[in-house]
């Protein structure tokens, strides 16, 4: 009986840690990454830079001045959920693709497609079987390729 209760409690704790939160998670915006940046990507003309980080943000920068232009956020949760390990900027700089720890306990990751002008998530590629570790757009911007963990 005790083993059953302990197992049930541990299962509930695991679900609570990896379930998508229902309450807002407040973060202080200081205009830069607060953890290591995992990837960097540029548009074809080299006008914009996109970085993604363990701080659960991606940021769009003006390459010439270093000025922050926009901050992008994907859904986050407790522990690692929302940490970004991959980002890509389309050749025209209008679309950002972001991924990382995005599965919320179901072991399927996704890639978020974001409009860089508005910051809106316009599409989500779901049910990716492994962690996305790198993303690249084709030179014409028509294709997106993702490298997955083994």
């Amino acid at each position: 009986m005790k083993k059953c209760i302990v197992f049930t409690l541990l299962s509930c704790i695991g679900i609570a840690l990896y379930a998508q939160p229902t309450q807002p998670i407040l973060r202080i915006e200081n205009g830069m990454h607060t953890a290591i940046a995992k990837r960097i990507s540029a548009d074809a003309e080299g006008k914009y830079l996109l970085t993604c980080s363990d701080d659960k943000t991606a940021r769009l920068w003006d390459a010439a001045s270093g000025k922050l232009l926009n901050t992008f956020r994907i859904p986050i949760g407790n522990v690692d959920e929302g940490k970004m390990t991959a980002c890509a900027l389309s050749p025209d700089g209008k679309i950002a693709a972001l991924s990382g720890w995005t599965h919320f306990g179901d072991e399927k990751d996704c890639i978020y497609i974001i409009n860089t002008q508005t910051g809106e998530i316009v599409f989500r590629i779901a049910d990716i079987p492994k962690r996305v570790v790198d993303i690249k757009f084709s030179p014409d911007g028509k294709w997106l390729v993702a490298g997955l963990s083994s």
Side-chain angles (χ1 to χ4, degrees), residues 46-143:
K47 290 173 52 177
Y48 305 108
L49 298 174
L50 177 70
T51 56
C52 66
S53 171
D54 277 349
D55 69 4
K56 303 181 182 186
T57 67
R59 296 175 185 272
L60 185 68
W61 309 88
D62 178 279
S65 68
K67 179 183 174 188
L68 177 64
L69 301 175
N70 211 337
T71 300
F72 309 121
R73 300 174 193 281
I74 61 174
I76 66 171
N78 299 322
V79 192
D80 291 326
E81 291 299 327
K83 287 183 177 180
M84 291 185 229
T85 57
C87 67
L89 192 58
S90 64
D92 63 6
K94 294 181 180 179
I95 299 292
L98 308 172
S99 191
W101 294 80
T102 60
H103 59 66
F104 293 102
D106 66 3
E107 300 304 319
K108 302 276 184 166
D109 277 356
C110 60
I111 297 172
Y112 290 91
I113 306 299
I114 296 179
N115 178 317
T116 59
Q117 305 305 303
T118 65
E120 176 187 5
I121 297 172
V122 294
F123 191 73
R124 184 173 70 99
I125 303 168
D127 296 326
I128 299 170
K130 301 282 185 181
R131 173 108 33 248
V132 177
V133 294
D134 204 2
I135 311 171
K136 298 287 187 227
F137 278 95
S138 63
D140 63 5
K142 293 181 180 180
W143 297 93

Side-chain angles (χ1 to χ4, degrees), residues 13-42:
I13 290 169
I15 290 169
L17 284 175
Y18 292 103
Q20 190 168 6
T22 57
Q23 298 296 321
I25 299 174
L26 302 177
R27 300 281 190 241
I28 295 173
E29 176 55 54
N30 65 357
M32 58 199 230
H33 287 298
T34 58
I36 189 168
K38 295 289 190 159
R39 293 282 189 270
I40 188 168
S41 181

